[in-house]
């Protein structure tokens, strides 16, 4: 998101962040942008799902993940931490053969390892850990263009470090910041975006 673009009017006339209208199927991005991205997400399982999806997205288009989201949920037991933490080698092999997800051995192994790391935490502790890295809402200016939106921040660097200290894998500062954006720890909707409020 560093192209310097401001908001763009969609087919319905509403102003949106430019990425909210990207892709062959604008409706997928538009719905995600309008109804989910940047809204607060709480709950260990829900946050674990977002950690996994952000890791699977690494190096790919987010649209690829959106279109396979239900496949991911089916393959990973609804992203219930306790269930995925119990996955064995045969589950990993099953996932590698599942056309409904991204079949990347390292990312699949990380998703299982991350469930095990999350299972070691007390109930609510993953939620508290992630949200403890939310910056002050008024701590930086509201972005006016895509160029104003950072890829990493001190908070995302600290969050990635904290998650790694608990055994989480495949999460660096950039992935952590994408997680923070997606889960509403920061509000990076552009100033004139209709969903900003």
């Amino acid at each position: 998101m560093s192209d310097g673009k401001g908001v763009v009017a969609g087919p319905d006339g509403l102003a949106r962040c430019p990425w909210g209208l990207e892709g062959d199927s604008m409706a997928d991005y538009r719905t995600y942008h309008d109804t989910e991205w940047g809204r607060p997400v709480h709950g260990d399982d829900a946050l674990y799902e977002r950690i996994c999806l952000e890791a699977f997205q690494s190096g790919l288009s987010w649209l690829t993940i959106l279109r396979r989201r239900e496949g991911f949920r089916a393959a990973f037991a609804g992203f219930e931490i306790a269930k995925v933490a119990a996955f064995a080698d045969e589950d990993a092999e099953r996932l590698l053969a599942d056309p409904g997800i991204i079949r990347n051995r390292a990312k699949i192994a990380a998703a299982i390892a991350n469930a095990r790391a999350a299972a070691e935490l007390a109930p609510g502790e993953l939620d508290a850990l992630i949200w403890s890295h939310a910056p002050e809402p008024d701590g930086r200016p509201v972005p006016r263009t895509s160029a104003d939106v950072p890829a990493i921040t001190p908070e995302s660097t600290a969050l990635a470090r904290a998650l790694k200290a608990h055994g989480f894998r495949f999460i660096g500062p950039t992935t952590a910041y994408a997680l923070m954006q997606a889960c509403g720890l920061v509000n990076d909707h552009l100033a004139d975006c209709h969903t900003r409020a």
Side-chain angles (χ1 to χ4, degrees):
M1 285 204 265
S2 59
D3 55 10
K5 291 181 183 176
V7 294
V8 177
D12 55 7
L14 294 174
R16 290 180 176 83
C17 304
W19 68 266
L21 296 170
E22 285 179 6
D24 297 333
S25 174
M26 292 191 309
D28 291 336
Y29 268 135
R30 191 167 58 238
T31 299
Y32 177 70
H33 170 275
D34 289 1
T35 65
E36 188 171 351
W37 191 77
R39 297 182 191 245
V41 173
H42 285 282
D44 294 342
D45 289 342
L47 289 164
Y48 165 68
E49 175 183 357
R50 301 325 191 279
I51 290 169
C52 290
L53 294 179
E54 292 296 343
F56 273 101
Q57 185 273 330
S58 181
L60 302 171
S61 161
W62 183 244
L63 187 58
T64 301
I65 303 303
L66 284 179
R67 289 180 173 165
R68 288 178 171 80
R69 195 169 188 183
E70 291 311 314
F72 275 109
R73 286 175 171 163
F76 284 93
F79 290 103
E80 290 183 42
I81 292 167
K83 289 182 178 178
V84 181
F87 278 13
D89 290 345
E90 56 268 23
D91 293 296
E93 292 306 314
R94 170 185 57 80
L95 292 167
L96 281 168
D98 189 333
I101 66 168
I102 305 302
R103 295 175 285 182
N104 177 296
R105 187 176 296 276
K107 292 177 181 181
I108 289 169
I112 296 169
N114 290 347
R116 291 175 182 157
E120 292 292 318
L121 301 173
E125 191 175 353
L126 179 60
D127 187 303
L129 172 67
I130 290 172
W131 277 90
S132 72
H133 290 83
E136 288 296 322
D138 300 325
R140 64 183 165 102
V142 174
R144 301 205 67 76
T145 71
S146 306
D148 298 331
V149 179
I152 63 171
T153 63
E155 293 88 0
S156 75
T157 301
L159 174 56
R161 189 178 304 121
L163 288 169
K164 285 181 180 180
H166 283 283
F168 285 79
R169 299 187 203 168
F170 227 101
I171 184 146
T174 303
T175 301
Y177 193 67
L179 174 72
M180 293 171 75
Q181 291 174 304
C183 296
L185 280 75
V186 294
N187 183 354
D188 277 343
H189 283 287
L190 302 185
D192 296 322
C193 176
H194 82 97
T195 63
R196 173 80 199 175

